[in-house]
Amino acid sequence: MAPLVPQGAGVGARIDALADLLEGRGDLAGADVRRALHAAPRHLFAPARGWCAPDGPGERHVIDRDADPDGWWAGVYADASIVTQAADGAGDPAAGVDEATSSLSAPGAVVAFLELLGVRAGDRVLEIGTGTGWTAALLTTLGAEVTTVEVDPRLAETAARNLDAAGVGARLVGGDGAAGEPGGAPYDRVHVTCGVTTVPYAWVQQTRPGGRIVLPWMPEFGDGHKVRLTVTGDGRAIGRLHGAADFMMLRAQRTVLPGAPDGEVVESVTRLDPRVVAHAGVAVAADVPDVMGGERDEGGDRWLVLADVAGTSWARCRVGAGEHAVSQAGPRRLWDEVAAACLRWIERGRPGRSRFGMTVGPEGQDVRVRRG
């Protein structure tokens, strides 16, 4: 919801009210980031029309600068994302109907990642996902030398206009962010504004030893997570999970839950509650990273539905009281794999998100419970 500000308040008062809200919630800690919010005001990067989605309580709604200026200002300086593109440009971003494919991220999420990044004046920063250009502007006002990569040419054009109008000198490059931007490497920081399931190793290769990478890790199963990695001298990046995150995916890593393939269906029952499995999301994602999952309503019942990314196998377990019906098909028994991962998590004492760490190296990505 929008912070309380007097009607007709100036931009500075709106920014301070928003910053106070974020500080009180623990997202904003440093005075430098607060100053950056003033130096790169969010309204300069907001669309004239968009779909406003509060990051918390509040109804989603359209904002329109011409039709309802007061509502537009309130939405721009609320802790809410504003959809700026739908269906990769084929839909109306202000309708709230088609899948959102780009947005002006909610200030709370933006600020939380900036705090994790810990950018210093003079740092060379690679940003993956320019969007409207707001985060690149914030990084620049924090004293960074910013290279920002945007895959969508139309979004890049809009961001370039926004940055130019705001007087921001970030270097904007068109291309697939999964490849990074080797022309500006090595970087002191890498700031990722889109979700990834697997961290591209190019980002590690293009970061100095001791440099940081912050990103929204969006595994195939369960919720998303903020991750901060530090690059080591042996070609790896290591770090921990730091909190919840929900971002649109890097286009190169988009996936959808596939339909059930043909094949013999094996029926069984389980006493393990699928709701407990859902709560073990990060543990399941760590142990069986290629299994996707989500709840669906079918025939009046609620099911936890699973599928492997390759589309070879599927499973579902009915949510309800008592024993739970399980159906599985394909060469893998996905419910059995996911249930085993959940039980291992229970045996470890149900460690929370902050106990998990991530390592990225030439051999791939590893997520597991860390000691200490």
Side-chain angles (χ1 to χ4, degrees):
M1 63 182 295
L4 296 177
V5 293
Q7 188 173 5
V11 173
R14 292 183 184 276
I15 294 172
D16 279 331
L18 175 61
D20 289 344
L21 173 70
L22 301 180
E23 184 176 3
R25 205 172 60 193
D27 290 329
L28 174 62
D32 54 345
V33 176
R34 180 185 280 263
R35 287 192 293 269
L37 292 173
H38 282 275
R42 191 175 188 237
H43 69 274
L44 298 181
F45 300 88
R49 291 180 70 251
W51 187 249
C52 185
D55 195 2
E59 295 291 330
R60 300 185 175 197
H61 60 284
V62 64
I63 58 170
D64 189 315
R65 186 173 56 201
D66 296 328
D68 180 14
D70 290 341
W72 184 84
W73 280 101
V76 168
Y77 284 103
D79 189 22
S81 63
I82 301 172
V83 176
T84 57
Q85 186 192 71
D88 291 333
D92 179 0
V97 176
D98 296 308
E99 180 183 5
T101 49
S102 189
S103 71
L104 176 60
S105 297
V110 171
V111 165
F113 271 108
L114 289 177
E115 295 284 3
L116 280 177
L117 188 67
V119 68
R120 304 158 302 184
D123 276 348
R124 297 166 65 90
V125 177
L126 172 64
E127 180 189 44
I128 306 299
T130 312
T132 66
W134 185 44
T135 307
L138 291 170
L139 289 165
T140 302
T141 61
L142 286 167
E145 180 184 330
V146 179
T147 296
T148 179
V149 182
E150 175 55 56
V151 69
D152 189 300
R154 287 167 294 186
L155 295 176
E157 289 176 6
T158 300
R161 288 195 299 269
N162 291 344
L163 290 165
D164 184 63
V168 176
R171 173 176 174 248
L172 198 160
V173 178
D176 181 1
E181 172 46 28
Y187 300 99
D188 301 287
R189 300 286 189 266
V190 177
H191 183 277
V192 184
T193 68
C194 49
V196 294
T197 300
T198 303
V199 179
Y201 186 58
W203 299 349
V204 180
Q205 292 176 304
Q206 293 172 25
T207 305
R208 301 180 193 275
R212 289 180 181 173
I213 304 171
V214 298
L215 59 102
W217 179 47
M218 305 287 290
E220 299 291 359
F221 188 94
D223 299 327
H225 316 272
K226 297 183 185 74
V227 176
R228 181 172 67 193
L229 304 173
T230 299
V231 175
T232 63
D234 61 355
R236 298 181 302 144
I238 58 175
R240 290 182 181 269
L241 279 57
H242 285 270
D246 184 14
F247 278 65
M248 298 168 198
M249 292 298 296
L250 180 77
R251 292 196 182 182
Q253 295 191 15
R254 288 178 180 170
T255 56
V256 295
L257 191 66
D262 296 332
E264 180 183 359
V265 178
V266 177
E267 307 282 357
S268 62
V269 295
T270 180
R271 295 176 64 187
L272 178 61
D273 191 332
R275 292 170 293 188
V276 174
V277 175
H279 290 152
V282 63
V284 172
D287 285 4
V288 280
D290 67 335
V291 175
M292 313 168 70
E295 290 193 3
R296 289 181 177 174
D297 289 316
E298 296 180 11
D301 291 323
R302 188 76 172 164
W303 297 84
L304 174 63
V305 180
L306 307 170
D308 64 348
V309 173
T312 68
S313 305
W314 65 271
R316 65 178 190 169
C317 180
R318 186 171 60 200
V319 178
E323 292 188 330
H324 308 275
V326 176
S327 303
Q328 304 185 82
R332 298 172 63 180
R333 294 292 177 257
L334 298 187
W335 169 257
D336 296 347
E337 293 183 33
V338 167
C342 177
L343 292 174
R344 287 191 292 270
W345 172 71
I346 292 172
E347 291 166 2
R348 295 176 187 139
R350 302 189 182 209
R353 175 192 284 120
S354 62
R355 291 281 310 282
F356 283 82
M358 175 183 286
T359 300
V360 181
E363 68 285 351
Q365 175 175 300
D366 178 61
V367 179
R368 65 181 64 191
V369 174
R370 301 299 192 199
R371 295 180 179 178

